[in-house]
Amino acid sequence: MSFIRNAWYVANWAHDLQDEPLAQTILGENVVLWRGADGDVRAAEDVCPHRFLPLSKGRIAGNDLQCGYHGLIFDGHGQCVGAPTQAAPPDCKIREYPVHENMGMVWIWMGDPALADTNDIYDLPEYHWKDWGAAFGDALDVEANYLLLCDNLCDPTHVNYVHPSTLGNPDEINAPVTFEDTSWGVLTERLTPNSAPTGFVAAFGNHDGKVDMWQRYLMYTPSVSIIDFGATAAGTGSWQEGGEGRIQVYSCHFMTPITETRTIDRWLHVRNFQSDDPSVGESISEQFRIAFAEDKDILQAVQAEETRHEGRPKIGLDLDASAGLFRLKINRLLRAETSAQAAE
Ligand code: FES
Ligand SMILES: [Fe+2]
């Protein structure tokens, strides 16, 4: 198992939780999510302990969830609080999962509820800023382990080969990639000064000549990826600030492992230009859709071969270094969780 349990994952888009319970498999566990009459989202194990009907087949009753078979009622802590024809049996309880909404998504804590701290949920400040524009993308369903997606999101070098028409840039093929170990994960960077604009920058920037571009891949453990990229007119600014015709985008991926070989990547993006025009957000999404479908195709093919060649060693390249560091950090977290469990 490669899943870290004591972590917040995105369970779904917040707007998908309306007046019906929603079934979702996360880290191989079946979870039911629902929004109570008070507007708060709740989550529990998706099984009724009576005859094991999934509770997602039931209905929302006030803030609680009622089983669709014989009407047992469960609260947001998984406790049975009502039973037909008798008092609720005191030992009738299912597992609860802490949940919290942020950035238009419902986040779920898959580990020990006592360790859940909502302050640890990822947040991008610019998402909330009035002069930046946010747009929701899709829930990309990929038949691959989440770490294959993380490898890809630590790796700017694949862009020229997998995404030549949108994000790639021939000037960039030999541009150096640097990376650093951070408290939250791994930061991989590629700066491309004085270059021809990529297809994306040409489409959304307003540049006649050469541009300075940056790509910064922020890969947070266990599975949030923020790609900060943009451009300014060459020699007029930096990735940190300033610059003529500065365009900047945060492409955000929230990956939820479903099984060992399936991941849902919910993506959205936040931009500093034409923030009040939703059609601009949609045309960015259109470009991203092309690119992410290209990634999906590659990663599913890699997963299929990995499964077929299980145990066969791979050849390492210098460009693997930052993805390798990220996997090392994941392994450390997994070991820490396993030893904490063994100590209990
Ligand atoms: S199966 Fe849920 S109440 Fe009987
Ligand atoms: Fe990609």
Side-chain angles (χ1 to χ4, degrees), residues 57-103:
K57 291 195 170 295
R59 61 177 196 91
I60 297 168
N63 293 331
D64 302 326
L65 191 59
Q66 182 166 45
C67 180
Y69 201 172
H70 312 95
L72 285 182
I73 296 174
F74 296 86
D75 70 10
H77 297 292
Q79 183 64 51
C80 179
V81 292
T85 73
Q86 65 168 85
D91 57 346
C92 184
K93 180 157 173 31
I94 46 171
R95 188 167 163 201
E96 70 170 304
Y97 295 90
V99 283
H100 187 78
E101 287 184 57
N102 190 40
M103 292 179 67

Side-chain angles (χ1 to χ4, degrees), residues 6 8 95-98 109-118 344:
N6 287 324
W8 290 99
R95 188 167 163 201
E96 70 170 304
Y97 295 90
W109 179 266
M110 297 300 292
D112 178 356
L115 301 177
D117 180 350
T118 54
E344 262 171 27

Side-chain angles (χ1 to χ4, degrees), residues 152-153 155 158-159 162-163 167 217 227 291-292 294-295:
N152 177 272
L153 292 163
D155 169 23
H158 81 274
V159 167
V162 181
H163 315 300
L167 308 173
Y217 288 50
I227 299 177
F292 301 158
E294 289 164 342
D295 284 318

Side-chain angles (χ1 to χ4, degrees), residues 2 144-152 222 263 326-327 330-331:
S2 60
N145 182 275
Y146 80 100
L147 290 172
L148 289 180
L149 281 78
C150 297
D151 292 343
N152 177 272
T263 304
F326 186 75
R327 282 186 178 243
I330 292 285
N331 284 336

